[in-house]
């Protein structure tokens, strides 16, 4: 087992992901600063401000990341079809993991809020409640799932799957969670990322994870955003909120039960390269590139929670 060679492989992935994300942030801030300097009144419009921030992400940021993360090797992932029933089960599990992760994130940020004496900012909630739900939907339901799944599932998983499906799933979820750069989203993004990576390595087809990601984001941003905008004093809002909450509760319970029932069938296969037990964490995480990626984004998350 050539541990040093494997560590270098994972280190390269960490450095490339760090460079990709840094470029995305620089492009977002650069375009936003330039646009608002030319058109200062845009800052008064939440929808325009959101569009100016997100557009360079998908037009330039992610395409550059795709080039940096492109895989020259042919991935050894077999293609498999998912039935409608399997997609429904997968969605319920996705949604259950999403809500569990969200509750963990909310609990942690609530504790941090008590420690710092002021609330931790929730960027996603601010976007959903502040602007047009349809503008938000274009970026979070249509654009984000496509670009994020290509980068964090297809390109990343294709690079790592030779080391085994288990390693691929955990790394995809961890990197995806850290990419969100805040504790509010880290846990549910990590949980969701792991399960979507499991779907990808088992089907070899990115369209399934894109579809599941779109549906999950639709429930969270579009339906949830519509609920935020209703007048809480109206009786109809109480009824709608109650029905929505009951549906969410039912889907979460169903998702958790399905995950428990099907956990034994959710096996992972070893890869062409087997890293011995006791060496996996050292090889995959304790290398220059991955450690720097984790430390940088963990630092950003701590700064966002305690300082912003």
């Amino acid at each position: 087992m050539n541990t040093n060679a494997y560590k270098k492989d994972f280190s390269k992935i960490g450095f490339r992901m760090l460079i990709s994300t840094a470029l995305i942030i620089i492009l977002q801030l650069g375009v936003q600063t330039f646009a608002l300097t030319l058109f200062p009144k845009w800052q008064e419009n939440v929808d325009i401000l959101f569009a100016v921030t997100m557009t360079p992400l998908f037009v330039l940021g992610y395409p550059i990341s795709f080039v940096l993360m492109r895989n020259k090797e042919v991935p050894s992932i077999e293609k498999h079809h998912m039935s409608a029933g399997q997609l429904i089960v997968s969605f319920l599990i996705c949604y259950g993991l999403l809500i569990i992760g969200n509750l963990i994130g909310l609990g942690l940020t609530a504790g941090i809020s008590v420690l710092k004496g002021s609330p931790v900012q929730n960027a996603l909630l601010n976007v959903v409640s502040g602007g047009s739900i349809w503008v938000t939907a274009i970026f979070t339901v249509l654009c984000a799932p496509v670009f994020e799944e290509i980068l964090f599932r297809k390109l990343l998983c294709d690079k790592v799957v030779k080391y085994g499906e288990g390693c691929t799933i955990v790394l995809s979820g961890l990197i995806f969670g850290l990419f969100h750069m805040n504790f509010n989203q880290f846990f549910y993004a990590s949980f969701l990322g792991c399960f979507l990576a499991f779907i990808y390595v088992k089907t070899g087809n990115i369209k399934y994870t894109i579809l599941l990601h779109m549906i999950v984001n639709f429930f969270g941003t579009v339906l949830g955003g519509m609920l935020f905008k209703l007048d809480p004093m109206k009786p109809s809002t109480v009824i709608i909120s109650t029905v929505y909450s009951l549906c969410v509760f039912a889907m979460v319970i169903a998702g958790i039960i399905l995950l428990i029932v099907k956990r034994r069938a959710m096996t992972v296969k070893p890869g062409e390269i087997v890293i011995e037990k006791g060496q996996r964490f050292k090889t995959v995480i304790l290398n220059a590139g991955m450690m720097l990626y984790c430390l940088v984004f963990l630092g950003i998350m701590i700064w966002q929670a305690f300082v912003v």
Side-chain angles (χ1 to χ4, degrees), residues 1-16 159-160 162-163 167 171 273-276 278-292:
M1 186 179 72
N2 193 347
T3 305
N4 289 332
Y6 304 156
K7 289 182 76 171
K8 287 181 180 178
D9 199 11
F10 285 104
S11 184
K12 288 179 182 178
I13 292 172
F15 278 124
R16 289 181 181 183
K159 278 185 173 296
V160 183
K162 63 185 177 183
Y163 292 101
C167 172
L171 194 63
I273 301 172
V274 178
I275 303 173
E276 295 178 2
Q279 297 296 319
R280 293 171 185 170
F281 182 76
K282 295 179 182 178
T283 303
V284 178
I285 302 297
L286 297 184
N287 56 72
M290 287 304 305
M291 285 180 66
L292 187 60

Side-chain angles (χ1 to χ4, degrees), residues 196-212:
L196 291 175
F198 172 79
I199 297 295
Y200 178 68
V201 298
K202 289 302 182 183
T203 65
N205 201 324
I206 200 67
K207 70 181 181 183
Y208 295 128
T209 66
I210 290 174
L211 177 61
L212 289 168

Side-chain angles (χ1 to χ4, degrees), residues 24 27-29 31-32 46-63 124 127 135-141 143-145 147-148 179 217:
I24 286 173
L27 283 167
Q28 282 186 300
L29 293 175
V31 171
Q32 184 187 65
V46 176
D47 293 327
I48 294 177
L49 185 61
F50 183 57
V52 168
T53 303
M54 298 302 292
T55 300
L57 174 67
F58 300 111
V59 174
L60 294 172
Y62 275 114
L124 181 62
V127 169
V135 173
T136 303
I138 290 172
F139 292 105
T140 61
V141 178
C143 297
F147 287 87
E148 288 178 354
F179 176 79
N217 281 12

Side-chain angles (χ1 to χ4, degrees), residues 128-274:
V128 170
S129 60
S132 167
I133 196 62
W134 302 113
V135 173
T136 303
I138 290 172
F139 292 105
T140 61
V141 178
L142 297 180
C143 297
V146 174
F147 287 87
E148 288 178 354
E149 290 308 307
I150 291 173
L151 179 59
F152 294 100
R153 248 59 67 187
K154 180 166 178 55
L155 294 177
L156 179 58
C157 291
D158 285 354
K159 278 185 173 296
V160 183
V161 73
K162 63 185 177 183
Y163 292 101
E165 292 177 352
C167 172
T168 304
I169 290 166
V170 173
L171 194 63
S172 176
L174 175 64
I175 290 178
F176 185 57
L178 289 171
F179 176 79
H180 285 74
M181 292 182 279
N182 64 78
F183 287 115
N184 290 102
Q185 295 174 275
F186 170 74
F187 293 99
Y188 75 70
S190 296
F191 294 170
L192 184 61
C194 284
F195 188 71
L196 291 175
F198 172 79
I199 297 295
Y200 178 68
V201 298
K202 289 302 182 183
T203 65
N205 201 324
I206 200 67
K207 70 181 181 183
Y208 295 128
T209 66
I210 290 174
L211 177 61
L212 289 168
H213 200 153
M214 283 181 169
I215 298 172
V216 167
N217 281 12
F218 174 80
F219 271 83
T221 58
V222 176
L223 293 185
M226 286 180 173
L227 196 63
F228 271 117
K229 293 182 181 297
L230 294 176
D231 184 353
M233 301 306 294
K234 290 184 177 180
S236 59
T237 301
V238 177
I239 295 172
I240 293 171
S241 299
T242 302
V243 172
Y244 178 80
S245 299
L246 289 173
C247 289
V248 168
F249 181 75
M251 289 192 295
V252 170
I253 295 300
I256 294 171
I257 291 173
L258 286 168
L259 182 62
I260 294 171
V261 170
K262 295 183 174 293
R263 72 187 188 283
R264 292 184 179 178
M266 296 168 63
T267 57
V268 292
K269 297 179 181 178
E272 300 167 8
I273 301 172
V274 178

